[in-house]
Amino acid sequence: MSEQSGYSPSFKRPAEIMRMRRKRARSEAGVPSSVDGSESPGQGNSSPAGVRPFSPGPLFTQNRSGGGLKRRNPFANIENTFSPRKKLLIYNDDGNAVEAEGYKLWDAREKDGEPTLGGRLTETERQQPRNIASKKCLSLSEDDFLPGEREEDVKTTLLKSPQAIAPLSIAPPVCTEYPADWSLKTRLLFTSPLLLSWAEKPKAREEALGLSQHCRAQFSSLPQSIQDPRSCSELRCAFQQSLIYWQHPSLSWISLFPRINAERSFRGKSAPWAQDPALQQSLMSEWSVSLSSLYSLLKSQQCPYFYVCSYQFTALFRAAGLGGSGSITALMSPTTRGLREAMKADGIEFSLPLVEESRKSREQRNLTLNKEEEGTEKHASELTEDEEGAEDETDDDEDGSFSWLKEMGVQDKIKKPDGIVLKLRKEGHTTSLDHKPESVVCVEGSHTFTLINFLINCKSAVAAAGSQAGLPPTLLAPVAFRGAAMHTLKARSVNVKSQVGSSYQDISSLEVTGPILPSSLHAITTLLRPAQKGNFSAALYTHTPTAVMNVPTTEQQASAVGSVDLSGCGLQPASIQQLQQPPSLGKSALTHLTMNSYSFTWRN
C-alpha cells in the first residue's frame, strides 16, 4: 500500500472526529471554494495545503506531485484504501452507452488546467438535490413536456435504492396440521420455553371431570391462547381426558405393552396361567368376547380403530372412512410365510402393499428401459430376468430348464433336483420377507371379519412356550369395550437448563409414557397449541413393528370417506378429520414434531 505512510493512528476517539467535522463545516461556510476547481470542495482553511481530511482516495488537485501528504480516513481499513479504476460509460444522444477509453481523457484535461473528474463529480453531487427538489415542484403540464428527465429520475431512484427492486419476501406457508401417524408410540418428550408444569398433579375434581368427559365423549373448546395454563381448569381436565385408553387383558403386576421382544419384562414375574390349562382357556374365552365386542363397535362406527398386539405380530383394524378407505381395513405386521399360508387356507384374501409397490415400480422401470432401448429389447429382458431370479420363474422352466442336458447326452448321468427343491426355489423370495416391514399384509372389506375369526382360533397368536406362554394378545382401543379396563398414560414434567450459545436458557419438558394411540397424540398436541402459545417441540419414540402401519391401502376411495358418519366414535372432530386423510408417511413414522408460531414442521 503506497498510502500507508500517511496513516495516523491518533484518530481513534469519536469526539475528536466530530469536533473536526464541525470545524470543517464552519470553515466551508466562511471560505467559498475556488472557481477553477483546483481546491477540493469541502476543504477549508483548517486543513493544510494539499491535504484532504477523511478521504480514502487520491487527491483531485492540479499538481498531483505536490508536497502535501494525504491524511487517511480513520474509519477505513488499511487494506481498502485503494480501489481499482472502474469502467466509465458515456450516454450519447441516442441513449446508447459508449465505454470511455480509460482515464486518459481526464488526465489530459487535468494537465490543461480544466476541472478534474473529482471536481465534476463533486459538483454534480451538490447540484443533484437541488435538481430533484425543483423537478418535484413542476406542474402537470411541465411534466408532459419533460418525459426524458422524468425517465432519468426513475432510473436514478432505482439505481440508488436496490431495495425498491428487490423481490418481496414471501411468508412461509402456515401448516396447522401434521400427517396422520398410525404407529404406536412408547414415549413422547415435549419441550417448550414456557412452563409445562400445568400438565401434572391434577386436582381431584379436575381428574374426575376428565374421566367423566371421556366416558361421555364430551369435549370443551379452548381459546387460541391461554395466558395462565395452570389456573385454567378446562385445559387440565382436557389433558387428563387425552391420557385415557382402554386395554384387555389387564394385569397390574405385568406391563402388557409392548409384547414383541418383551421377554425381559416378563422374566421373573408371576404367571399362574403358564402351567394351568384351565386358566389359559378362561383367559382365551374372555379375550374372544372382548375382540368380538371391539369388531362390533368398529363395524357400527362406535369405535374408530383398535390394535391387537401379539408376541410375534401387531394388527390394526380401522373403521370405514378412516385412512382414506371407504371400507373396514386391517393391517398386520410383521408376518411369516407360515402365517400367510394359514390365512390363505382360511379363505382370507389379502395383499402385500409394499411388495406390490416394488413390483409396479420395477415394471415401470422396465417399460422405460424398453422405450429407450428398442433395438436391444431381448438383451434387456434377459438382464431383467437375471436380476429378478426366482421371482420371474414360470412353470415352463421346470420342464425345459434341463433340456440342454439332453442335447449333450448326459441327462442320465446328472441327478436332477426334485419338485420340492424347485418349489422352494420359486418361493425363496416370499420366505425372505419374513419378519421384515415388507411382509405387512392388508385385508379389506368383509374379509376383516374372517380375519377376526382366524385370530380367535389361531394357535400361533398365543405363545406356547416362554415367559408369555398362554397369555392372550393385548387389545388397545381409544373407547370402552366389553371386558376392558381403563388406563391412563403417565405424564411427568421437569424443568431443565439448556445451553444456547454462551448462555443457559430455562427449558420445560413433559414426558408421556405408555401405549400412545394416534388419537391421544393428536389430542395432546392440540392442547399444547394454546397452552404454549404455539411454540413447542416433541421427540416421538415409535414401537418399531408398527411403523409400517402408515402404508397406503390398495383401495383409496376418497369420495366414500366423506359419506361415512364417524361423529359417534368417541373422538373429537379435529382428530377424526386428521385420521380420515390417506396415509402419506409410507413405511416410516414421525420422529420429531415442532410447532413454531402456530405452524407445524416434522421429520420421519
Side-chain angles (χ1 to χ4, degrees):
M1 295 299 197
S2 60
E3 302 294 336
Q4 212 165 357
S5 59
Y7 173 76
S8 177
S10 61
F11 290 100
K12 294 182 180 180
R13 298 177 128 185
E16 297 179 3
I17 297 171
M18 298 305 298
R19 187 161 49 250
M20 293 189 65
R21 285 196 174 185
R22 288 193 296 270
K23 188 176 180 181
R24 175 184 173 189
R26 287 193 298 269
S27 63
E28 286 181 354
V31 181
S33 302
S34 59
V35 180
D36 58 354
S38 60
E39 186 175 353
S40 250
Q43 178 181 350
N45 297 334
S46 60
S47 301
V51 178
R52 183 181 183 183
F54 313 111
S55 174
L59 294 173
F60 294 117
T61 57
Q62 289 183 352
N63 190 7
R64 288 182 179 266
S65 59
L69 293 177
K70 182 180 85 64
R71 190 184 300 252
R72 187 185 175 277
N73 184 2
F75 292 101
N77 295 329
I78 301 176
E79 293 80 9
N80 65 357
T81 54
F82 174 77
S83 59
R85 292 186 175 182
K86 301 179 181 179
K87 294 181 179 180
L88 180 65
L89 295 179
I90 301 176
Y91 288 87
N92 53 22
D93 297 336
D94 299 334
N96 300 324
V98 180
E99 183 178 351
E101 299 179 359
Y103 292 129
K104 296 181 180 180
L105 178 62
W106 304 104
D107 293 342
R109 291 186 177 181
E110 289 174 8
K111 293 179 181 180
D112 297 339
E114 297 183 14
T116 60
L117 175 62
R120 288 172 177 266
L121 291 177
T122 308
E123 197 65 30
T124 304
E125 292 174 358
R126 284 178 140 191
Q127 294 177 0
Q128 189 173 6
R130 293 194 295 268
N131 295 338
I132 295 176
S134 62
K135 287 177 183 178
K136 287 183 180 178
C137 299
L138 292 175
S139 62
L140 181 61
S141 59
E142 291 175 335
D143 290 346
D144 296 337
F145 290 102
L146 298 173
E149 293 182 9
R150 175 63 64 185
E151 194 171 318
E152 290 175 4
D153 293 343
V154 175
K155 291 181 180 179
T156 306
T157 306
L158 290 176
L159 290 176
K160 287 191 174 183
S161 303
Q163 296 157 356
I165 59 175
L168 296 176
S169 59
I170 302 175
V174 177
C175 185
T176 58
E177 199 59 82
Y178 57 91
D181 188 356
W182 288 99
S183 63
L184 288 171
K185 308 296 181 184
T186 58
R187 180 170 174 256
L188 303 177
L189 183 60
F190 295 95
T191 56
S192 175
L194 302 178
L195 290 178
L196 285 163
S197 57
W198 58 266
E200 62 177 359
K201 297 180 181 179
K203 298 178 181 179
R205 180 179 176 279
E206 294 171 346
E207 185 176 3
L209 189 58
L211 298 179
S212 175
Q213 289 178 350
H214 174 82
C215 295
R216 299 174 182 177
Q218 297 177 351
F219 306 97
S220 57
S221 59
L222 297 174
Q224 180 71 16
S225 178
I226 300 176
Q227 298 299 328
D228 188 8
R230 194 164 187 82
S231 62
C232 184
S233 179
E234 292 81 3
L235 174 65
R236 293 162 63 86
C237 292
F239 183 75
Q240 293 300 315
Q241 181 180 357
S242 65
L243 299 179
I244 298 174
Y245 67 97
W246 298 82
Q247 175 182 317
H248 178 86
S250 177
L251 303 175
S252 58
W253 69 94
I254 297 178
S255 176
L256 296 181
F257 179 83
R259 297 290 297 273
I260 299 178
N261 299 328
E263 283 75 15
R264 183 178 299 178
S265 61
F266 284 86
R267 193 172 301 157
K269 302 294 180 64
S270 175
W273 58 84
Q275 305 298 329
D276 191 348
L279 185 55
Q280 293 181 10
Q281 184 64 28
S282 176
L283 290 175
M284 283 300 302
S285 177
E286 291 293 330
W287 182 82
S288 301
V289 172
S290 298
L291 182 59
S292 301
S293 171
L294 268 176
Y295 187 80
S296 299
L297 292 172
L298 189 79
K299 192 175 180 180
S300 59
Q301 283 88 38
Q302 300 300 310
C303 175
Y305 61 88
F306 66 89
Y307 290 85
V308 180
C309 303
S310 174
Y311 77 103
Q312 65 173 353
F313 63 83
T314 302
L316 165 65
F317 287 81
R318 292 190 298 229
L322 295 183
S325 178
S327 60
I328 299 176
T329 57
L331 294 170
M332 184 185 298
S333 174
T335 60
T336 59
R337 177 174 171 269
L339 182 62
R340 295 191 294 271
E341 290 294 335
M343 293 172 62
K344 287 181 181 179
D346 278 13
I348 301 175
E349 295 183 4
F350 61 88
S351 60
L352 299 170
L354 293 180
V355 174
E356 292 180 359
E357 182 182 353
S358 177
R359 179 178 56 82
K360 289 180 181 179
S361 62
R362 186 171 58 249
E363 290 178 355
Q364 186 68 25
R365 186 173 64 251
N366 293 341
L367 290 176
T368 306
L369 290 175
N370 291 338
K371 290 180 180 179
E372 293 178 354
E373 303 177 1
E374 295 179 356
T376 57
E377 290 181 358
K378 184 177 180 180
H379 181 62
S381 62
E382 292 177 358
L383 291 176
T384 307
E385 291 177 0
D386 294 339
E387 291 175 359
E388 294 178 358
E391 297 182 9
D392 296 333
E393 289 182 1
T394 60
D395 297 337
D396 297 337
D397 295 337
E398 297 181 13
D399 300 331
S401 58
F402 300 99
S403 58
W404 58 277
L405 295 176
K406 187 175 181 180
E407 296 176 358
M408 296 177 64
V410 293
Q411 70 276 11
D412 298 331
K413 298 181 181 180
I414 297 178
K415 184 180 180 181
K416 300 179 182 179
D418 52 9
I420 298 177
V421 176
L422 292 174
K423 186 177 181 181
L424 291 176
R425 185 181 300 174
K426 287 179 60 178
E427 297 177 351
H429 69 286
T430 59
T431 308
S432 63
L433 299 176
D434 293 355
H435 305 290
K436 292 182 180 180
E438 289 76 11
S439 65
V440 59
V441 298
C442 177
V443 183
E444 296 178 326
S446 60
H447 293 281
T448 55
F449 179 73
T450 312
L451 179 60
I452 291 292
N453 293 329
F454 173 79
L455 294 176
I456 292 175
N457 301 316
C458 180
K459 294 183 179 180
S460 60
V462 182
S467 58
Q468 301 187 48
L471 189 62
T474 303
L475 304 178
L476 298 173
V479 297
F481 58 95
R482 185 173 177 179
M486 177 187 288
H487 290 259
T488 58
L489 303 172
K490 297 179 181 179
R492 186 172 64 97
S493 176
V494 178
N495 295 329
V496 296
K497 286 186 178 293
S498 177
Q499 187 173 2
V500 180
S502 60
S503 61
Y504 287 87
Q505 183 180 2
D506 292 332
I507 298 294
S508 183
S509 65
L510 175 64
E511 183 185 32
V512 181
T513 56
I516 303 166
L517 304 178
S519 56
S520 299
L521 173 61
H522 186 267
I524 294 174
T525 54
T526 303
L527 295 176
L528 290 179
R529 184 198 309 257
Q532 305 308 120
K533 295 180 175 57
N535 289 281
F536 67 87
S537 61
L540 315 178
Y541 297 84
T542 306
H543 183 42
T544 306
T546 63
V548 75
M549 299 296 182
N550 292 310
V551 296
T553 56
T554 55
E555 296 181 4
Q556 298 291 340
Q557 303 172 359
S559 58
V561 171
S563 61
V564 180
D565 184 18
L566 295 171
S567 59
C569 68
L571 299 183
Q572 55 183 338
S575 298
I576 296 175
Q577 186 177 2
Q578 186 208 32
L579 297 178
Q580 283 179 334
Q581 303 301 321
S584 59
L585 298 175
K587 60 179 181 180
S588 61
L590 295 177
T591 57
H592 289 83
L593 197 64
T594 303
M595 170 169 271
N596 188 12
S597 299
Y598 297 95
S599 180
F600 274 113
T601 57
W602 59 85
R603 292 205 310 267
N604 57 323

